[in-house]
Amino acid sequence: MVFKCYCVFSTVEAAIDEEQYSVKVIKKNYIYGNIKHQVNIYVKVYTNSPFLVCMDLALSQKEVIDPSYLWIGPNGKTLKGQSYVNLTETGKLMVRGFQESMSGSYTCTLSYKTINTDIQEEREKFKTYKFMVYAYREPDYTYQISVRFTTKECTLAANGQFFEELKKILNDLISDLTCHVIEPSYKCHVIKIPKHGLLDELFVTFQVNPFAPGWEAVCQQISYDCEDVTNRRVQEARDLIEEFFHKQTYVLKHKFWNVPAIHYIDHSFEVTRIDSCRPGFGKNDDTHNDCASCCVVCDPGTYSPNNEVRCRICTSIRIKHYGAKSC
């Protein structure tokens, strides 16, 4: 079961347990424990976690006598009285302003009584619930774009001049979004097209990146993490560039009496999104398949020093904390 706001149940079994009850009894932003297995939860950095309930859903629908709750955090210490948590009298835990260092195991032990009224016997019962809570970030987006142009000859000196002018036009187009073109390149190839013989074409590729000079100033105006803003801006930049190339076909048909030697080939625009993660975070489809598109905090024993997609295994030293950026 996927909770869009914050988190993900890690197993199908938990979802099956919940399906036995009306949706009305499953309160929004509440994650129930499970005595059979741990529950994995993913919390976006700088946001509050959902409420972790020190009880399984089945028990929560019953009368519980003299309940008592003991929450233990990743450092092995009790969470009662900690300033960064909201711990209710009914055993629900929320972690405020979640950061990568807060990742780890959150365990709650519930004790309560059962009373047999026939023989007036009281028994104390205990249940333990384990939640694995991970910080995550959205990946940073970059867009790989490729387009093609016809040219008179591959040896034409104007090819290089055209390429330089194209880069300038594209950068000017998206500069207000603090985005820029990176890794631009082109190659000329001779293409055999059925019924048209041989044609010379320029294959142009480049990336649209949201971290042009000045992007930090935009993020300083935001109290939370900035990737939502940079991702939105680079998506807008991608759309502007796509619109620019689509207009070339119209301009070619309606504005020119004579077709230019170098011109855009209609429908040659192709775009692919490339994800990267901030240092200390990475993707892992195996370990975190419930949050496969997320950049999840690197587990102990792993690290990520730059904007790679996956965390590396550290063999030289033993890393004991989450979110390591060096080994």
Side-chain angles (χ1 to χ4, degrees):
M1 178 176 291
V2 176
F3 293 81
K4 293 181 180 179
C5 293
Y6 303 100
C7 57
V8 179
F9 264 116
S10 63
T11 65
V12 176
E13 188 174 357
I16 294 173
D17 289 344
E18 290 195 352
E19 288 174 359
Q20 299 172 9
Y21 299 93
S22 167
V23 174
K24 293 181 180 179
V25 305
I26 305 174
K27 293 186 178 181
K28 183 180 180 181
N29 206 30
Y30 281 16
I31 309 299
Y32 290 86
N34 194 305
I35 58 173
K36 298 178 182 177
H37 53 71
Q38 71 181 31
V39 176
N40 289 356
I41 301 170
Y42 299 87
V43 182
K44 192 170 183 179
V45 289
Y46 307 122
T47 68
N48 297 335
S49 77
F51 274 106
L52 314 184
V53 183
C54 187
M55 198 172 289
D56 54 84
L57 184 56
L59 185 60
S60 72
Q61 306 306 304
K62 301 176 182 178
E63 181 180 75
V64 181
I65 301 173
D66 293 337
S68 177
Y69 314 92
L70 175 63
W71 277 98
I72 302 296
N75 60 2
K77 298 180 180 179
T78 179
L79 292 172
K80 187 176 182 179
Q82 298 295 328
S83 60
Y84 58 89
V85 302
N86 178 6
L87 190 54
T88 72
E89 62 180 8
T90 55
K92 299 177 183 67
L93 172 72
M94 172 191 285
V95 185
R96 300 191 184 99
F98 206 85
Q99 300 181 35
E100 52 263 50
S101 60
M102 297 176 176
S103 300
S105 173
Y106 289 76
T107 303
C108 181
T109 300
L110 165 67
S111 64
Y112 62 100
K113 292 177 181 176
T114 59
I115 300 177
N116 188 329
T117 55
D118 293 336
I119 59 175
Q120 292 298 308
E121 180 186 43
E122 289 188 8
R123 287 187 178 181
E124 190 168 17
K125 288 193 171 183
F126 298 89
K127 289 189 174 183
T128 300
Y129 304 96
K130 183 177 181 180
F131 301 84
M132 287 299 299
V133 188
Y134 303 95
Y136 82 92
R137 305 175 89 124
E138 297 295 338
D140 290 313
Y141 300 164
T142 296
Y143 289 96
Q144 175 85 29
I145 293 177
S146 63
V147 289
R148 292 162 66 174
F149 294 83
T150 61
T151 183
K152 189 175 181 180
E153 294 178 1
C154 280
T155 57
L156 198 66
N159 291 340
Q161 298 170 3
F162 167 80
F163 178 66
E164 293 301 320
E165 184 64 23
L166 178 63
K167 287 192 298 182
K168 183 177 183 303
I169 291 171
L170 295 177
N171 273 316
D172 289 345
L173 184 66
I174 61 177
S175 61
D176 289 345
L177 295 168
T178 60
C179 296
H180 62 162
V181 170
I182 63 171
E183 300 186 17
S185 65
Y186 81 95
K187 288 184 178 181
C188 190
H189 299 279
V190 179
I191 309 297
K192 183 185 180 301
I193 300 177
K195 300 180 181 180
H196 288 83
L198 299 178
L199 293 177
D200 290 13
E201 293 186 5
L202 302 178
F203 288 60
V204 178
T205 61
F206 57 90
Q207 293 182 11
V208 183
N209 180 277
F211 303 116
W215 74 272
E216 297 96 336
V218 176
C219 291
Q220 287 173 359
Q221 305 169 16
I222 302 169
S223 58
Y224 55 89
D225 198 56
C226 192
E227 60 230 15
D228 291 340
V229 175
T230 55
N231 285 343
R232 176 178 54 80
R233 284 172 173 258
V234 77
Q235 287 173 323
E236 291 178 14
R238 175 207 61 191
D239 293 342
L240 284 174
I241 290 176
E242 184 173 7
E243 182 183 8
F244 168 80
F245 283 112
H246 286 170
K247 285 181 177 179
Q248 301 308 303
T249 302
Y250 175 86
V251 170
L252 191 64
K253 291 179 179 178
H254 297 87
K255 302 295 184 181
F256 287 93
W257 290 102
N258 297 314
V259 177
I262 303 175
H263 62 269
Y264 172 71
I265 298 177
D266 194 17
H267 303 301
S268 68
F269 182 92
E270 294 182 359
V271 59
T272 304
R273 197 183 85 187
I274 301 172
D275 290 353
S276 61
C277 297
R278 300 287 177 92
F281 292 79
K283 291 185 177 184
N284 191 320
D285 296 348
D286 298 325
T287 307
H288 302 296
N289 59 351
D290 288 316
C291 205
S293 64
C294 310
C295 291
V296 182
V297 64
C298 293
D299 290 324
T302 67
Y303 72 106
S304 178
N306 47 40
N307 289 46
E308 296 178 350
V309 180
R310 299 182 70 89
C311 299
R312 307 178 188 177
I313 296 176
C314 180
T315 57
S316 59
I317 60 174
R318 185 180 178 186
I319 300 176
K320 298 181 180 180
H321 61 279
Y322 286 85
K325 301 174 184 178
S326 61
C327 174

